[in-house]
Amino acid sequence: MRKRNNSLTTDHDSSATNTILDTSPNLKYCHKKGQDSESEVLLSSADPVSDKTMGRYRRYGLMNRLKRLFLWVLGVYIAIPFIIKLCPSIQAKLVFLNFVRVPYFIDLKRPQDQGLNHTCNFYLQPEEGVNIGVWHTVPARLWRDAQEKDRAWYDSTFQSSHPVMLYLHGNAGTRGGDHRVQLYKVLSSLGYHVITFDYRGWGDSEGSPSERGMTSDAIFLYNWLKEKIGKKPLYIWGHSLGTGVATNLVRHLCDRGSPPEALILESPFTNIREEAKSHPFAMVYRYLPGFDWFFLDAITANDIRFASDENMGHISCPVLILHAEDDTVVPFHLGKKLYSIAAQSNSLSGHKVQFIPFSVTLGYKHKLIYRSPELPHILSDFLGTAHPHE
């Protein structure tokens, strides 16, 4: 009898439990099958009100994080113009970018590491306490003779009949930049001596960068070259920011009555204010009220002008302008505008002024004009009309 009662009690408890599980709206259960029996297992609470509340909390937390991020970005955006205005030296660094040494980890004393086995590295001193690094690449036909030769041999090659190109590079990087090295190779293959250097403050050159210092270095190199080559043709090639240095140099030479044989400007701009306003970095601030006061006046405060448009009124030698339509660093319209100014300049009357555009389909952008298979023909056609001055 006791066993029977226990069995009934057990059945009654189980039935009661099942009733509670079945009738509770807030509990879930499942059937777990064994070999001989089936048991019901309680899983979890399923309160839809709690789920909705947790969802709202999660969305609220996400919105808070996004709001804080937006306010942080807005704060930085507003702070940058004031920081630059209060510290104009920052703007100078952004113009020169001399602290950006691309490619990294190259030894400028070893141009052969960049595939220039017919190039000599040496240093000159434009003024006391300032040494600047220089590369001299001889014409490709002298490649075999150049192996293992010292600077004295390289200097002696200036006595050959080969013309000389003084190359003035743009901002950022060094004289060992890849697109620059590729252009040296092209010019060398065409029979030119190529002389290039790092302005003071760039690469392994000493000193601090400034427009005045860059121009002074260019003048020094030009005079040094003229002493070496005498009356042989000497052309000046500037790229990007180097076009501003080039027009400063050529204006100085023309003012003193000794213009170069020709000036070649690759991806030039009119002046640094217009270039800064058109640069992609300025896009997020271009329409900000007071843009000129915050950014452009800060450039002027550093005595940085690079006024190629103004210089064109003082230049009296042939001028060739090369510009790619898809150049995003120095927009194509600035090169075209500089050409229009040069074409109307009284000082350039009687001299050849030519503008060569490169189609957007070629993809040359800001640095790759050296890839053009037409470049040798363009140079020979243009420079063939540039007669050495007596």
Side-chain angles (χ1 to χ4, degrees), residues 1-53:
M1 290 295 293
R2 183 171 297 175
K3 286 184 178 179
R4 185 179 183 89
N5 289 339
N6 288 344
S7 176
L8 290 172
T9 304
T10 302
D11 292 342
H12 174 75
D13 292 343
S14 176
S15 177
T17 303
N18 288 342
T19 302
I20 294 173
L21 290 173
D22 291 339
T23 58
S24 174
N26 298 326
L27 296 176
K28 292 182 179 179
Y29 66 91
C30 70
H31 296 285
K32 185 176 181 181
K33 294 184 179 180
Q35 292 180 349
D36 301 320
S37 63
E38 183 178 283
S39 61
E40 295 176 349
V41 181
L42 180 66
L43 292 180
S44 63
S45 172
D47 187 350
V49 176
S50 298
D51 288 347
K52 289 180 181 179
T53 303

Side-chain angles (χ1 to χ4, degrees), residues 273-327:
R273 289 178 71 95
E274 289 193 355
E275 159 56 13
K277 196 167 188 175
S278 303
H279 198 280
F281 288 164
M283 187 176 300
V284 294
Y285 288 106
R286 193 173 299 158
Y287 303 106
L288 178 74
F291 174 84
D292 288 12
W293 186 78
F294 279 114
F295 293 96
L296 304 187
D297 289 352
I299 297 176
T300 305
N302 286 280
D303 196 25
I304 303 174
R305 298 178 66 244
F306 291 112
S308 291
D309 49 357
E310 181 183 318
N311 290 338
M312 284 301 170
H314 299 261
I315 290 175
S316 54
C317 71
V319 177
L320 171 64
I321 296 177
L322 311 171
H323 215 133
E325 293 178 351
D326 56 343
D327 190 334

